[in-house]
Amino acid sequence: MAELLKVENIEVFYGEFQALYGVSFHVDEGEIVALLGANGAGKTTTLKTISGLLRPRSGRILYEGRDITHTPPHKRVEAGIAHVPEGRGIFPWLTVMENLKAAAYVKRARERFEETLEFVFSLFPILKERRDQQAGTLSGGEQQMLAIARALILRPRLLMLDEPSLGLAPKLAYNVIMLTKQLRDEGYTILLVEQNVRLSLKVADRAYVLETGRIVKEGSSAELERDPMIRAAYLGM
Ligand SMILES: Nc1ncnc2c1ncn2[C@@H]1O[C@H](COP(=O)(O)OP(=O)(O)OP(=O)(O)O)[C@@H](O)[C@H]1O
Ligand SMILES: [Mg+2]
């Protein structure tokens, strides 16, 4: 499989505080890769660096084989990198439809908007039903669907999800994580950031574990599920 994303040895700081220490990993086309770790491990920082909201002090980010370390965020979106942020990033006062239209600000999304919209509505029929409803009045699960739908409107090649299960009841959390598998089967490549290790390992092909800014484990989901350290620290066994 072709390598879609390669993160090489990135070091990221907030002022004097170092959040990432030599983080390296890769995502191949068609994979779900999970980036796992506890609160404050550096998961969000990693995604923000890939989408260009943060600049690494050193290291490189390669996408489709090109160095994008210094490419501005909107150009990365145009190149097909979509980021569903922590906390969803939808506009609560706008309707579902307005939220989707607002997402289509790049050429990549505008070109085949109607067709993409149809696909997104087939994936989330509830959003079609509620298209004229204010986004802030949707349930938590529906808001998460809308956040993902906004990213899909961009026709991404790489879909990055930051804790999509956060704040959802267990059944909905399960559904959202299972949705990533459905998207993978549709041909999407997904980088999934989660604290919910058990659930993530059910859908991911491979995973990396971050601890205080460093990758401390990597492997296939099956390998990590068997790993004694992972079982003790993250699976409560
Ligand atoms: N804007 C900021 N300014 C200073 N420090 C920050 C900032 N954002 C994050 N940090 C720190 O960087 C480290 C990594 O944070 P990050 O948000 O990437 O973690 P995370 O793995 O996403 O955690 P969570 O599961 O809580 O979302 C933490 O120690 C955090 O306190
Ligand atoms: Mg986070």
Side-chain angles (χ1 to χ4, degrees), residues 29-234:
E29 220 168 311
E31 280 190 305
I32 300 178
V33 171
L35 190 58
L36 308 171
N39 266 315
K43 306 181 299 296
T44 297
T45 302
T46 304
L47 289 197
K48 283 183 171 169
T49 309
I50 296 166
S51 59
L53 303 172
L54 292 171
R55 285 284 163 87
R57 192 171 286 185
S58 59
R60 296 200 302 169
I61 297 169
L62 304 177
Y63 173 72
E64 297 176 327
R66 282 175 299 120
D67 187 339
I68 59 160
T69 317
H70 302 287
T71 304
H74 70 276
K75 292 230 169 104
R76 299 190 199 195
V77 175
E78 195 69 78
I81 300 179
H83 180 181
V84 180
E86 206 173 6
R88 302 177 188 136
I90 60 173
F91 300 109
W93 305 107
L94 299 187
T95 66
V96 166
M97 196 60 205
E98 286 164 345
N99 265 281
L100 294 172
K101 280 188 178 150
Y105 61 98
V106 293
K107 181 158 152 275
R108 180 183 190 91
R110 283 195 313 267
E111 272 173 354
R112 283 144 79 198
F113 180 73
E114 294 303 326
E115 185 190 329
T116 314
L117 187 65
E118 212 167 293
F119 165 70
V120 165
F121 279 158
S122 72
L123 213 52
F124 304 113
I126 191 77
L127 294 182
K128 187 173 189 182
E129 263 172 53
R130 311 241 151 130
R131 62 180 175 272
D132 297 319
Q133 193 171 319
Q134 257 186 3
T137 67
L138 299 173
S139 73
E142 290 161 359
Q143 289 188 26
Q144 189 60 62
M145 285 179 207
L146 178 57
I148 295 171
R150 279 174 50 85
L152 295 179
I153 285 291
L154 298 167
R155 308 186 72 90
R157 275 196 83 187
L158 174 66
L159 179 61
M160 303 195 293
L161 304 172
D162 196 347
E163 304 219 33
S165 79
L166 195 71
L168 299 181
K171 175 90 170 61
L172 288 175
Y174 178 85
N175 290 347
V176 164
I177 300 296
M178 287 302 147
L179 172 70
T180 60
K181 213 170 174 173
Q182 193 184 340
L183 291 172
R184 199 248 333 259
D185 295 343
E186 295 273 354
Y188 287 95
T189 303
I190 297 170
L191 178 56
L192 172 67
V193 155
E194 268 292 338
Q195 274 191 49
N196 192 328
V197 173
R198 185 184 304 272
L199 211 46
S200 304
L201 290 179
K202 282 196 197 307
V203 295
D205 298 293
R206 295 185 300 114
Y208 296 85
V209 180
L210 261 180
E211 271 178 23
T212 52
R214 291 179 176 84
I215 288 181
V216 295
K217 276 273 177 206
E218 63 176 275
S220 69
S221 291
E223 281 163 0
L224 292 183
E225 271 175 335
R226 285 195 301 267
D227 187 281
M229 182 281 254
I230 301 293
R231 290 168 75 87
Y234 296 98

